[in-house]
Amino acid sequence: MTSLTRIRTCFFLCCFLSSVVLPVTSQTVVQASPIHSAGSQVITASLQEEEYASFRAENPEWTFNHLAVDYRNGNVYLGAVNRIYKLSPDLEVQVSHETGPDEDNRKCYPPRIVQPCSEPLTLTNNVNKMLLMDYRENRLLACGSLYQGICKLLRLDDLFKLGEPFHKKEHYLSGVNESGSVFGVIVSYSNASPDMLFVATAVDGKPEYFPTISSRKLARNSEEDGMFAYVFHDEFVASMIKIPSDTFTVIPDFDIYYIYGFASGNFVYFLTLQPEMGNGPTTGSSSAGREQVYTSKIVRLCKADTAFNSYVEVPIGCISDNVEYRLLEAAYLSKAGSILAHSLEVAPDDDVLFAVFSKGQKRRPRQASQDSALCVFSLRTINEKIKNRLQACYKGEGTLDLAWLKVKDIPCSSALLTIDDDFCGLDMNAPLGVSQMVHGKPLFSDDADKMTSVIAYVYKNHSLVFVGTKSGQVKKDTFASKDGSGGKPSPSRLP
C-alpha cells in the first residue's frame, strides 16, 4: 500500500454521486454529506494519478448512505443499509458491523423492543441515517431507521458495540426512514464537561414524538442512562424546537429538511429546505393539488443556549445570469483562502460556505430541472445580517416573522441592552426570523448536469472546490483570480 504521507486521498460515493470527501490531512476533519438519492453502491478512492481503489458491498441492496473519514489515520467508515463498515485508506475491509434487518413497524411507538406492539411486524431494513465521529471518546455514533431511529455507539478500532440506548423517548431521534432526514453536530467543551449533540431531523407529521431540532447530552459512558437526554428540560422550557400542530393545518405535509450542519465560533448552524407558509389553510400545499413553494434557510443557535432563545433563521439563495437559484441541494464549510477572501472582503481564515442550489423554488421530482448553481457565502456576512436583525427587534421594530412557529405577527419588544456578535438571546423576541434574503456570490452554473454535492479546501491560497453531479461526474474548480471567479470547471468521470 502507498504510504499515507505520499498520497492525497479522495473518496467518492457513486453511482449517483452525492458525496465527496477531500484529501485527508492532519489538520482536516472530514465528513461527507448525507446522500439524498436512493443510495450509492460503490465507494472509490483516488490514491494518486490514474490509480483508484473501489469497494462494493457484498449485497447490492446494501447501498451506502453516509461516509466519515478519521483524519488521524485515513480510515474510512461507511454507513450502509444493514451494515456499518470500517475500511482502510485504500478501501480494504477491516471489519463490519451488522445493524439489520429486523422485524419492525414504523407505527410502533415506543418500538417493539420496549413494549409489545399490536401493529403487524415485517422484516425491515435498517437504513443508516446519521454517522458521526466522536474523537474524544474514540467511538462512532451510528443511527438507523429501525425502532424510531435509535443509535449505536461503536468503538472506532473494531466496531464493538459500546452501547445502544433504547428504553426512553429521548433515545428515539427520528421516525423517518429516508437516509437524509437527520443531521447531527457534536460540540466539544473543556475536558471537565461532556460533549453535546445537536440533532436536526424531519418529523414526518409526528411533532408530538420528535422535536425538529434539539441539543442532547453525549455522555462519556456509552451505557449511561442519561445518554441523549435533553441538555435542559423542565415543565416549561427545554433544549428543543417542535413544529406546532397548527402548522399542519396550514400545510398538512409540512416538514423541514436538513441538508447540512456545522459549528463555527460560538454557534451551531443548520442549512434547511422548508415549505413557505401561505396565508390560509392549504394555501400552496401539495395536498391541495398545488405545487409547494420552498425556501432555503440557514438556522443559527448558540452552542451554550440551553433554552434555544437564540434560534434565528435567515433565507439564503443565489442569482446567476438573472436566474434565481433557491432550492438548496448541498453545502460545505471551508476557509476562504487569501485569493477568494479578497473578493468576499473577508480575512483568509474566515469561514465561507459553498452551497449548491437548483433553479427556482418548486420541487418537481418527475420533471426535475438540471439547472443548478454553485455559490459562496461569507459566514461573517450572514452573522452580521442576524446581528442587525436582533438589534432592530430589540428596539421594538417589526415582528418575530416566523410563520411556521406561529410567531409571524408577534411584535418585537423593546429592551435596553447591547447586542454584540456573540449575543445569545433572552426569553423575549425569540425565536426570530429574518425576512431579507442573504444572496451568495455565484461561482458557476450548469443547466445540463445537475450538481448534487460540494466540498472544498484551501491549497496554496487557492480555493479548490469539487462538485459531484447527478450523472456521476466530479468537477473541480480553482478560484484563483482576485475577483473570486474560477472559469469553467473541469469534469472527470470515475472509472
Side-chain angles (χ1 to χ4, degrees), residues 97-111:
H97 181 94
E98 182 176 330
T99 60
D102 204 350
E103 290 190 337
D104 194 18
N105 187 308
R106 291 181 63 191
K107 295 180 181 179
C108 293
Y109 188 97

Side-chain angles (χ1 to χ4, degrees), residues 244-262:
S245 57
D246 288 352
T247 298
F248 297 96
T249 304
V250 181
I251 301 179
D253 52 0
F254 181 91
D255 219 332
I256 299 177
Y257 305 97
Y258 293 89
I259 310 299
Y260 185 63
F262 61 91

Side-chain angles (χ1 to χ4, degrees), residues 319-333:
I319 298 177
S320 179
D321 296 329
N322 296 319
V323 177
E324 276 201 347
Y325 296 89
R326 299 280 299 277
L327 293 174
L328 183 67
E329 297 284 347
Y332 191 80
L333 186 75

Side-chain angles (χ1 to χ4, degrees), residues 379-443:
L379 202 58
R380 179 187 293 184
T381 299
I382 292 172
N383 286 330
E384 194 66 28
K385 179 78 71 174
I386 292 174
K387 184 174 75 171
N388 292 342
R389 174 73 169 106
L390 285 165
Q391 290 172 340
C393 190
Y394 276 85
K395 291 177 182 176
E397 300 174 10
T399 66
L400 299 189
D401 200 23
L402 261 183
W404 72 268
L405 274 169
K406 317 308 290 183
V407 297
K408 179 176 175 61
D409 299 322
I410 296 179
C412 289
S413 300
S414 180
L416 293 175
L417 73 162
T418 300
I419 295 176
D420 58 16
D421 292 340
D422 294 321
F423 180 70
C424 278
L426 301 174
D427 58 355
M428 60 184 290
N429 295 335
L432 186 64
V434 178
S435 57
Q436 189 176 359
M437 181 179 298
V438 176
H439 287 91
K441 177 184 177 65
L443 300 177

